[in-house]
Amino acid sequence: MLRLSGVRTRFGRFTVDSDTRQLLRNDSEVHLSPKAFDLLWALLQERPRVVEKAALHARIWPETFVVDANLNVLIGEIRRAIDDTPQKPEFIRTVHGVGYAFCGTAAEVRKDHAPPTTLFSWVVWKDKTFPLSEGDNVIGRDPGCGIWLDAPGVSRRHACLRLDSARRHVALEDLASTNGTFRRRSRVQGEISLEDGDQIRLGPVQITVRLWVSDQAPETRRIRRKAK
């Protein structure tokens, strides 16, 4: 078993806790076998570097000979747990003939020195409110997206909102959508920073991004009532 380092690593809607050996989706635990957890943690620790299969074998099965098929099974288990696919990888990238790499955006937070959350953010569409999670929040027509917009003209994985609460920062990136992503009538190219009240258009659908800095609680309560 790998020796872990007492930190939490967050990516998208997921958190990996090295002390409790848990994978969490938001606040709900997602089951992973012990070897799959060790493999996921190894890839997170080495990100974004590609880890060769031989190195992963040595870390996951020390002093034991196993075939590559065992590694493939664990990678498949991890991908199912974190809603990833080999065809369009968001987190786990296969480098054929070499190994694997964690390719998503992740942030480490030590439990004993974790900074307080300083920014909360949510998205408003019609009468619905979608709170943003730390890290990547994918918007799209696919029900597996963190922000599910079931509307014609929205791509299955249309855009991504990236929340970094410690830096009080929310960024928007288009994910090669068919009909484009726009802010204030300008098409989004690359990654852009957002402000409270920004209107975002995804094809024919318009959403509003709301930001709340935690040291402005009275304002926040007013904003929340408006958002509803």
Side-chain angles (χ1 to χ4, degrees), residues 19-39:
D19 280 344
T20 62
R21 295 182 60 84
Q22 288 179 299
L23 170 66
L24 305 173
R25 179 191 287 111
N26 297 327
D27 294 325
S28 300
E29 183 174 3
V30 180
H31 174 73
L32 272 185
S33 66
K35 293 296 185 184
F37 185 93
D38 288 345
L39 176 55

Side-chain angles (χ1 to χ4, degrees), residues 10 17 30 35 67 71 102 106 118 130 132-133 144 146 149 163-164 169 174-175 177 189 194 196 201 203 212:
R10 298 172 182 166
D17 190 318
V30 180
K35 293 296 185 184
V67 297
L71 195 58
F102 187 90
T118 56
F130 302 89
L132 299 187
S133 301
L149 303 182
L163 172 63
D164 185 341
H169 183 257
D174 182 74
L175 298 179
S177 62
Q189 303 287 347
L194 298 180
D196 179 42
R201 183 162 58 85
W212 165 30

Side-chain angles (χ1 to χ4, degrees), residues 73-113:
V73 169
L74 294 185
I75 288 291
E77 180 183 346
I78 293 170
R79 281 182 169 141
R80 289 190 296 273
I82 62 177
D83 306 324
D84 208 28
T85 65
Q87 293 78 19
K88 292 185 178 180
E90 185 179 356
F91 300 118
I92 305 296
R93 180 168 65 94
T94 301
V95 183
H96 294 288
V98 181
Y100 300 92
F102 187 90
C103 59
T105 301
E108 293 181 355
V109 180
R110 291 195 174 274
K111 296 179 182 179
D112 51 348
H113 298 294

Side-chain angles (χ1 to χ4, degrees), residues 33 47 57 62 74 78 106 141 206 220:
S33 66
R47 69 184 189 277
H57 284 184
L74 294 185
I78 293 170
R141 196 163 41 86
Q206 182 168 290
T220 302

Side-chain angles (χ1 to χ4, degrees), residues 169-183:
H169 183 257
V170 174
L172 171 67
E173 180 181 5
D174 182 74
L175 298 179
S177 62
T178 301
N179 296 319
T181 302
F182 298 81
R183 182 191 63 167

